[in-house]
Amino acid sequence: MPARFDTGLPAAAGLVLPCCSHCGRVNYPPRELCGACLADELVWQEVDNLGVVQACTDLHYSLEPDYADHLPWRVASVVLACGPVVLAHLQPGIVEGAEVAVRIVEDRHGNRMLVAVEPSGAGADWLASIQFKECSA
């Protein structure tokens, strides 16, 4: 049976992350207090989804059948232009230092997660091949 998990990410067409109403800092992962000023006024807002791959690795084993069929599976840390570093599934062929667009997607079980794809939109075929779909508002 596939795992269900809750990342707290909303079903949104753009990249939506918690932003502090007091100081403006984008906070990720989601939390109750701002990581910069400790204010508790975090509001989910659309942010700049462009970033740079800081580091990436290939996973060669998965307990999840949906992922096992697509090994090796690439994951990366991405420094977003809006500030935070996120962990994301990485489109094959993208290397460290490359510019990417980070998007919220759902797998076929409704789990939401982040993916990093080419900014040109060339990742649509890859997303379809692994049965991920981009979220829409």
Side-chain angles (χ1 to χ4, degrees):
M1 179 173 178
R4 289 280 300 146
F5 54 88
D6 183 9
T7 58
L9 294 168
L15 180 58
V16 178
L17 297 175
C19 299
C20 180
S21 297
H22 186 259
C23 72
R25 179 177 178 162
V26 179
N27 286 266
Y28 187 83
R31 57 191 65 156
E32 292 182 22
L33 301 175
C34 175
C37 71
L38 299 179
D40 62 355
E41 302 162 5
L42 299 177
V43 179
W44 290 82
Q45 296 178 356
E46 188 165 349
V47 298
D48 184 353
N49 74 333
L50 294 179
V52 174
V53 175
Q54 181 179 43
C56 56
T57 191
D58 294 333
L59 303 178
H60 293 273
Y61 183 79
S62 176
L63 295 173
E64 291 296 322
D66 290 348
Y67 295 92
D69 292 340
H70 302 285
L71 295 174
W73 191 269
R74 294 184 55 80
V75 293
S77 59
V78 177
V79 181
L80 292 174
C82 62
V85 175
V86 300
L87 296 178
H89 300 280
L90 185 63
Q91 177 184 347
I94 296 177
V95 298
E96 290 176 12
E99 184 176 64
V100 293
V102 175
R103 297 191 169 98
I104 299 173
V105 298
E106 286 186 353
D107 67 12
R108 65 189 183 122
H109 305 290
N111 297 312
R112 290 188 201 110
M113 63 209 80
L114 299 176
V115 295
V117 296
E118 293 178 18
S120 65
D125 290 341
W126 170 65
L127 291 173
S129 75
I130 58 175
Q131 298 180 341
F132 281 8
K133 64 179 181 175
E134 289 194 55
C135 293
S136 57

